[in-house]
Amino acid sequence: MYKLQFLVCLFSVVLLSSLVALVAAQGSRNNTSKWQTLKGDSPLVIARGGFSGIFPDSGSFAYQLAVQLSLPNVVVWCDVQLTKDGVGICFPDLRLENGSNIDHYFKNGRKTYPVNGVPTPGWFSVDFTLNDLEPVNLKQRIYSRAPNFDGTPQQILTVEDVVNFAKPPGLWLNVQHDAFFNQHNLTMRTFIISVSRRVVVNYISSPEVSFLRSIIARFRTSPTKLIFQFLGHDELEPSTNQTYGSLLKNLTFIQTFASGILVPKNYIWPVDNSLYLRPHTSVVSDAHIAGLEVFASTFVNDAPLPYDYSYDPVAEYLNYVDNGNFSVDGVLSDFPITPSEAIVKLLVISSEGASGDYPGCTDKAYSKAISDGVDVLDCPVQLTNDGIPFCLGSINLRDRTNVDETNFSNLATSNPDLNIDSGIYTYNLTWSQIQSTLRPAIYNPFANYSLFRNTKARNDGNFMQLSDFLAIASNASSGLWCLNQYRAEKQGLGVTDAVLDALSKAGYNQTAKKIMIKSSDSAVLKKFKSSSNYERVYMVDEDISDITNSTILGIKNFANSVVITKKSVFPTDKAFVTTQTNVVPKLQAFGFPVYVQFFRNEFASQPWDFFSDAYVEINTHFSGMGINGTITDFPATAAKYRTLAPNPILSENDVVEPPLPPVMEKPPPTTNTGNGSIAPGPTPQNGQPTTVASMILSSIAVLATLLLC
């Protein structure tokens, strides 16, 4: 891949900090720690029947909406039933009248069959071929939910239909009644093995031990995971004749045929008869000790929650994924957008500190970024002539300093390797010369629009050596360094070695603080892979429209996450968005967090589609495309976005008021002569204008994004 800035900004290091707490039902987990799931990955969101809380369960609308509005790696759930001719359909209940209008088309189709020994009347899929079911439409199966979409034609879908139509990132097949279908000479085992050869199946679950044991040999070496589903504590599992409560005490047995368990949420947080939470059980920790993943089910937004959650479903999800003691490995929900909100956290990464307010990479820029609420503080590293690593956003001193106003202005030369026609480079001067003679200069990327940044502070702040920056990052926020490998190749000094040495001397080899290395060159990342446990971030420094699976697999050999440009997410032409790419979901489907650069507040930096509103732009990338972090010159804006999406933080200034004034004697009334002035409008609290984010605009932007799909 061609690298336009390969020699200018070759790689960087990122330290994730725990400085900033997120808003709106914030949990205990911070940006430095892994999730407390079995493998440390973020919990999975499983959309039961798609977005079944709104649309008819297992219908095309439900599946499509779940994929569009949930996490990029969302897994859609399909309850598999078999038709008379052995076709696997996705339907939420063994009885077809519970979710469709089949009783309207086949008035005499009602039968009674034993289900787990209990005579059960209804319309069953075993009595109809797929062709018979063609005119049948799905409907809302829960009467308390809006039936508004029942009149919309939505046919019953096969498993292949779901994959081909919704194109979900992940597929979960649930086999609820294998024994029932065996009684009707239909083999679920044969179907599951057959369909797994035609489509990618990520998870297969069942509450029947015998079924999972019958397919374990087929999937033992497959990436498909088998999950044992627990029903009620006192219900009998048909093949072992044991209660599910007793099976829960024998997790080593479960581990012989499954890699995880699916339990109702009250297995983990029991609820008393007064609808209050009881202390959590040890189910999650016990299962993790046994090497089993734990998935929790029965999450809905439209049923009474324990009073402990104050009717906030996000708070409920956080209690399962981010309570400080454990995290389930996934949640099964009828409303997948809600757990997505609880799990996804937008990372705010600075670009040269708060470089929109002060000269980048100075002590003032870093202090401002920290106070603004940055998560990741960055230091692009350059080397001086005497080998001192320091922070500066460009190897060309003319971009970030006042070097042209000094006696060093005659050092300007061209450097084809750096694609610079006339530059004065950091390796031309010693650290002493830079520190004593030069002043930082604020970078104005949109000067051609007459948009200049904070002119009063255009030369404020002091340059910082890498060692000084590391001290700041250690005590406050975190760090990212963009390092210039040109010195290693041309001048005999290596930035990689200088950074490793600085990290070692600063004690980062012994710290728990997470460190990430960013580079546009695989060789650099491979060197850090061999010499440290740092997380490696691959920087794609050109605009791309797509990325192949083979390329992503190649990146996996040397990187853990990826940085891309904004135009690689939303390509533009003449300042208008032309389309959206699949780069973000593709990378995330392979487990890569994706960070996007550069977000700036100047209207000239934003396509017109975002209404010259920095918040709309961030929201469209985060809520619409699911990016994991923003790299920004204005960290205050991105941090404030998090407080406005969805709810603002109530600050002390909002509740503290001045004392009441003494009661004054009321003056006598006067006659209005018509010359009096109009009373001023109410003053906002604290005497300052109140800033309100336009969530309507954000919603419009997200909707426009979805309509482009």
Side-chain angles (χ1 to χ4, degrees):
M1 181 179 295
Y2 175 73
K3 301 176 179 63
L4 180 62
Q5 298 173 349
F6 167 62
L7 294 173
V8 179
C9 183
L10 188 60
F11 64 95
S12 58
V13 179
V14 182
L15 305 175
L16 295 185
S17 77
S18 57
L19 178 65
V20 183
L22 293 181
V23 302
Q26 168 65 25
S28 62
R29 194 185 70 88
N30 57 53
N31 290 321
T32 65
S33 61
K34 290 185 176 181
W35 293 92
Q36 293 177 291
T37 54
L38 180 63
K39 298 180 180 178
D41 299 327
S42 61
L44 201 64
V45 172
I46 308 131
R48 198 191 64 77
F51 209 129
S52 55
I54 300 297
F55 291 107
D57 196 311
S58 304
S60 56
F61 293 164
Y63 282 123
Q64 187 177 35
L65 190 67
V67 171
Q68 288 180 336
L69 296 186
S70 305
L71 292 180
N73 65 337
V74 66
V75 174
V76 300
W77 167 284
C78 164
D79 283 295
V80 183
Q81 319 294 340
L82 292 179
T83 63
K84 186 176 182 179
D85 48 346
V87 178
I89 59 173
C90 295
F91 197 85
D93 198 287
L94 190 63
R95 295 169 296 176
L96 298 183
E97 74 274 18
N98 289 343
S100 80
N101 62 353
I102 191 170
D103 51 338
H104 173 76
Y105 288 96
F106 299 96
K107 298 183 183 299
N108 298 321
R110 190 173 186 264
K111 301 286 182 66
T112 299
Y113 293 121
V115 179
N116 293 335
V118 179
T120 305
W123 280 257
F124 295 87
S125 61
V126 295
D127 294 320
F128 304 95
T129 66
L130 181 64
N131 188 60
D132 293 336
L133 297 176
E134 185 175 353
V136 176
N137 284 310
L138 300 172
K139 66 179 183 180
Q140 181 57 257
R141 61 189 292 262
I142 297 178
Y143 294 135
S144 60
R145 291 177 178 170
N148 301 55
F149 303 103
D150 290 356
T152 306
Q154 292 190 74
Q155 291 180 308
I156 294 174
L157 302 176
T158 67
V159 173
E160 290 92 336
D161 288 338
V162 172
V163 173
N164 294 332
F165 179 80
K167 295 179 173 55
L171 177 65
W172 186 310
L173 301 182
N174 183 55
V175 178
Q176 195 79 9
H177 297 286
D178 174 59
F180 172 82
F181 290 107
N182 284 336
Q183 294 169 8
H184 293 268
N185 299 317
L186 293 168
T187 168
M188 187 66 77
R189 178 182 183 276
T190 299
F191 170 76
I192 290 294
I193 292 176
S194 174
V195 77
S196 68
R197 295 191 180 107
R198 300 191 298 272
V199 301
V200 176
V201 180
N202 303 90
Y203 296 86
I204 299 171
S205 62
S206 177
E208 298 183 13
V209 171
S210 59
F211 173 72
L212 293 177
R213 296 183 75 174
S214 74
I215 64 173
I216 181 65
R218 168 64 180 82
F219 293 100
R220 195 178 297 278
T221 59
S222 165
T224 303
K225 295 182 179 181
L226 303 186
I227 309 297
F228 180 61
Q229 180 185 12
F230 283 80
L231 303 181
H233 277 89
D234 298 326
E235 292 188 55
L236 285 177
E237 193 282 318
S239 57
T240 63
N241 206 32
Q242 297 183 53
T243 66
Y244 288 98
S246 63
L247 285 172
L248 189 64
K249 300 174 183 177
N250 195 359
L251 293 175
T252 54
F253 169 65
I254 304 298
Q255 202 269 340
T256 63
F257 59 85
S259 62
I261 59 175
L262 174 67
V263 298
K265 63 185 181 182
N266 61 10
Y267 270 50
I268 301 170
W269 284 98
V271 179
D272 65 21
N273 293 332
S274 299
L275 210 59
Y276 285 94
L277 289 177
R278 296 169 58 193
H280 67 77
T281 68
S282 62
V283 167
V284 177
S285 57
D286 291 345
H288 283 175
I289 291 172
L292 293 167
E293 291 184 294
V294 182
F295 301 92
S297 64
T298 63
F299 287 95
V300 296
N301 289 9
D302 53 356
L305 297 177
Y307 294 119
D308 308 71
Y309 299 129
S310 302
Y311 297 101
D312 182 355
V314 172
E316 181 182 34
Y317 286 110
L318 285 171
N319 208 26
Y320 285 82
V321 303
D322 195 9
N323 57 50
N325 297 307
F326 61 82
S327 172
V328 299
D329 298 273
V331 291
L332 177 63
S333 175
D334 292 16
F335 296 83
I337 192 173
T338 308
S340 297
E341 294 168 354
I343 292 171
V344 169
K345 295 175 172 64
L346 179 68
L347 201 66
V348 178
I349 307 170
S350 73
S351 172
E352 305 175 34
S355 57
D357 298 297
Y358 291 99
C361 301
T362 61
D363 53 350
K364 289 209 169 186
Y366 291 136
S367 295
K368 180 68 163 57
I370 292 170
S371 64
D372 287 343
V374 73
D375 295 313
V376 178
L377 195 65
D378 75 304
C379 167
V381 175
Q382 312 296 340
L383 283 182
T384 64
N385 185 266
D386 49 345
I388 302 297
F390 74 108
C391 305
L392 197 68
S394 173
I395 191 175
N396 187 357
L397 293 169
R398 304 180 83 172
D399 293 335
R400 301 292 194 277
T401 75
N402 68 338
V403 67
D404 284 327
E405 301 171 7
T406 70
N407 294 331
F408 298 121
S409 60
N410 60 354
L411 297 179
T413 59
S414 63
N415 191 321
D417 291 333
L418 297 174
N419 198 27
I420 298 175
D421 292 332
S422 178
I424 303 171
Y425 309 100
T426 58
Y427 56 78
N428 291 142
L429 304 180
T430 65
W431 172 246
S432 176
Q433 290 172 322
I434 291 174
Q435 190 178 34
S436 63
T437 308
L438 306 187
R439 294 299 305 158
I442 203 165
Y443 178 54
N444 295 295
F446 303 103
N448 57 323
Y449 290 88
S450 296
L451 298 175
F452 299 96
R453 294 175 169 177
N454 199 4
T455 55
K456 288 185 178 180
R458 62 179 178 269
N459 296 116
D460 283 6
N462 300 302
F463 297 114
M464 298 190 67
Q465 288 191 31
L466 177 57
S467 57
D468 297 326
F469 173 80
L470 288 174
I472 292 178
S474 176
N475 294 323
S477 193
S478 37
L480 178 152
W481 299 275
C482 185
L483 297 110
N484 173 18
Q485 191 68 8
Y486 177 79
R487 288 287 288 149
E489 296 178 352
K490 299 294 185 180
Q491 304 294 331
L493 294 174
V495 177
T496 305
D497 294 332
V499 171
L500 285 170
D501 181 63
L503 288 170
S504 178
K505 289 180 179 178
Y508 277 90
N509 291 346
Q510 289 79 40
T511 185
K513 188 179 288 291
K514 189 173 184 179
I515 301 173
M516 300 169 67
I517 310 296
K518 188 182 81 170
S519 174
S520 59
D521 186 275
S522 60
V524 172
L525 294 178
K526 287 177 181 177
K527 180 171 182 179
F528 273 92
K529 181 179 181 180
S530 63
S531 61
S532 68
N533 294 321
Y534 303 149
E535 184 170 340
R536 299 164 306 281
V537 185
Y538 182 61
M539 182 175 64
V540 183
D541 51 10
E542 60 179 317
D543 302 330
I544 60 175
S545 60
D546 201 355
I547 187 168
T548 64
N549 290 347
S550 59
T551 300
I552 300 175
L553 289 173
I555 295 173
K556 262 192 171 298
N557 292 326
F558 54 83
N560 310 102
S561 51
V562 178
V563 171
I564 60 175
T565 65
K566 289 194 300 184
K567 286 189 177 181
S568 297
V569 183
F570 292 107
T572 60
D573 181 38
K574 297 179 181 178
F576 282 95
V577 171
T578 57
T579 184
Q580 66 184 42
T581 73
N582 290 320
V583 174
V584 173
K586 274 190 174 183
L587 287 166
Q588 290 175 333
F590 282 82
F592 283 108
V594 179
Y595 310 114
V596 177
Q597 63 183 22
F598 294 101
F599 287 87
R600 289 162 172 152
N601 286 3
E602 291 95 342
F603 71 87
S605 71
Q606 303 144 11
W608 290 114
D609 307 72
F610 302 136
F611 316 128
S612 300
D613 188 320
Y615 293 95
V616 173
E617 182 179 41
I618 294 173
N619 188 64
T620 307
H621 282 77
F622 177 55
S623 297
M625 294 301 294
I627 69 171
N628 301 92
T630 63
I631 302 176
T632 173
D633 296 9
F634 297 89
T637 301
K640 187 181 293 182
Y641 161 77
R642 295 189 306 197
T643 70
L644 299 172
N647 299 315
I649 296 176
L650 184 67
S651 68
E652 183 181 359
N653 289 335
D654 293 323
V655 297
V656 176
E657 302 287 354
L660 291 173
V663 178
M664 304 295 293
E665 183 179 350
K666 185 176 180 180
T670 59
T671 303
N672 187 351
T673 63
N675 298 323
S677 61
I678 299 175
T683 301
Q685 297 183 84
N686 312 318
Q688 297 295 327
T690 300
T691 302
V692 179
S694 175
M695 299 309 294
I696 294 177
L697 291 180
S698 299
S699 300
I700 292 173
V702 173
L703 180 60
T705 301
L706 294 177
L707 291 176
L708 290 173
C709 297

